[in-house]
Amino acid sequence: MYARRRHVYFAMMGTCLVLFVLAWALVRLWSTEAAVGMCVVAMVIPPVAAMVANRRGPDDRWWDDPSGDPKSDEWWDELDGKKRPR
């Protein structure tokens, strides 16, 4: 899962870079409005790419990892209705 998220992130950031460079290297010669529109689209991509890259998948079990504090872990397990093996 991690590799797929990383590939999608780099693909989105590459697309952002290509849009920005093409907008001001080529498209501005024909239409400034289209170049600005391409830059606006490129501006939206990085935050979305960051959300995609940092999203947790169903296989990522980070929420139920023990914290290292036995008293706190015992308290949370009691709230969750879990019985910890001793």
Side-chain angles (χ1 to χ4, degrees):
M1 283 301 247
Y2 176 71
R4 185 182 328 168
R5 286 195 308 253
R6 189 177 60 209
H7 287 115
V8 170
Y9 173 79
F10 284 121
M12 291 178 78
M13 292 306 288
T15 302
C16 174
L17 188 61
V18 167
L19 278 173
F20 186 74
V21 169
L22 281 177
W24 295 112
L26 296 174
V27 176
R28 72 173 172 89
L29 300 173
W30 291 281
S31 172
T32 306
E33 292 83 9
V36 170
M38 287 173 69
C39 284
V40 168
V41 171
M43 178 182 70
V44 173
I45 292 174
V48 174
M51 286 185 273
V52 167
N54 292 316
R55 182 179 58 91
R56 298 288 184 205
D59 296 337
D60 298 335
R61 303 288 305 225
W62 58 272
W63 60 87
D64 59 355
D65 287 342
S67 67
D69 179 19
K71 184 94 170 150
S72 175
D73 292 339
E74 183 179 326
W75 185 75
W76 281 107
D77 288 341
E78 181 182 336
L79 285 177
D80 291 339
K82 294 180 186 175
K83 298 285 185 190
R84 292 195 85 155
R86 300 221 179 226

